């Protein structure tokens, strides 16, 4: 019995279907396999790192490397001189916002620490937390390590 009769697209060996037989009525010309665009993985990685950088900006420790990675992945996705897709742009913006927020919180902390340590209530809270975590008051640490004391 002939497998190719009546317009079916079965070939003679192994009973497999011949996808490339254009004479059949169910030709798969428009259903050709497509490849994913190159650089899409870097765009998605940039968006994920940017989102995580922005949401963890209050922890500073996580936000700095995630923001830097998000910017790096956005640059790697855009390096092929192609137009930047929306996922890559979103990742770049979120990474920059997260990185900027973390850096501004670090600067604010260092600028405000001496004036905050003048407040007795705040100083007692910082000393209590430092004593619990490290076994040493923050005042003792600053005097021993840097020779700096917070005098009233």
């Amino acid at each position: 019995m002939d497998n190719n009769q009546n317009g079916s697209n079965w070939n003679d060996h192994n009973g497999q279907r011949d996808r490339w037989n254009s004479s059949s009525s169910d030709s798969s010309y428009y259903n050709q396999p497509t490849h994913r665009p190159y650089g899409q993985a870097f765009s998605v990685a940039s968006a994920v790192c940017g989102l995580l950088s922005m949401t963890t900006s209050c922890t500073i420790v996580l936000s700095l490397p995630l923001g830097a990675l998000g910017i790096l992945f956005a640059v790697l996705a855009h390096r092929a001189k192609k137009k930047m897709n929306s996922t890559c742009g979103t990742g770049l913006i979120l990474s920059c916002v997260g990185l900027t927020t973390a850096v501004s919180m670090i600067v604010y902390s260092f600028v405000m620490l001496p004036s905050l340590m003048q407040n007795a209530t705040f100083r007692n809270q910082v000393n209590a937390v430092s004593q619990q975590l490290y076994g040493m008051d923050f005042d003792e640490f600053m005097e021993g390590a840097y020779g700096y004391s917070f005098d009233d």
Side-chain angles (χ1 to χ4, degrees):
M1 179 171 172
D2 186 16
N3 288 334
N4 287 330
Q5 66 187 5
N6 297 332
S8 88
N9 57 353
W10 292 87
N11 57 7
D12 289 334
H13 55 284
N14 298 333
Q16 293 180 352
R17 184 170 186 213
D18 186 11
R19 290 187 61 201
W20 308 109
N21 185 2
S22 61
S23 65
S24 67
S25 61
D26 58 346
S27 175
S28 60
Y29 176 76
Y30 291 106
N31 297 325
Q32 298 296 320
T34 58
H35 64 84
R36 293 174 48 180
Y38 300 109
Q40 186 176 6
F42 284 130
S43 296
V44 171
S46 172
V48 168
C49 285
L51 183 65
L52 289 174
S53 172
M54 196 168 125
T55 57
T56 62
S57 62
C58 60
T59 63
I60 297 173
V61 176
L62 293 173
S63 184
L64 290 174
L66 287 172
L69 282 174
I71 292 171
L72 175 71
F73 288 142
V75 168
L76 288 175
H78 187 60
R79 70 178 171 175
K81 296 183 181 176
K82 296 179 184 176
K83 188 176 180 181
M84 186 179 289
N85 60 8
S86 62
T87 308
C88 187
T90 302
L92 184 64
I93 290 170
L94 290 175
S95 296
C96 288
V97 167
L99 200 61
T100 304
T101 304
V103 168
S104 65
M105 288 180 72
I106 290 171
V107 169
Y108 179 77
S109 297
F110 281 119
V111 167
M112 294 302 295
L113 185 63
S115 65
L116 287 173
M117 289 303 283
Q118 299 302 323
N119 184 353
T121 306
F122 182 78
R123 179 193 262 170
N124 291 336
Q125 289 176 347
V126 170
N127 284 333
V129 170
S130 179
Q131 181 69 33
Q132 288 177 352
L133 291 176
Y134 306 114
M136 176 187 287
D137 287 345
F138 188 73
D139 291 335
E140 294 173 11
F141 169 73
M142 290 300 287
E143 287 175 13
Y146 301 107
Y148 183 81
S149 64
F150 299 103
D151 294 326
D152 287 334

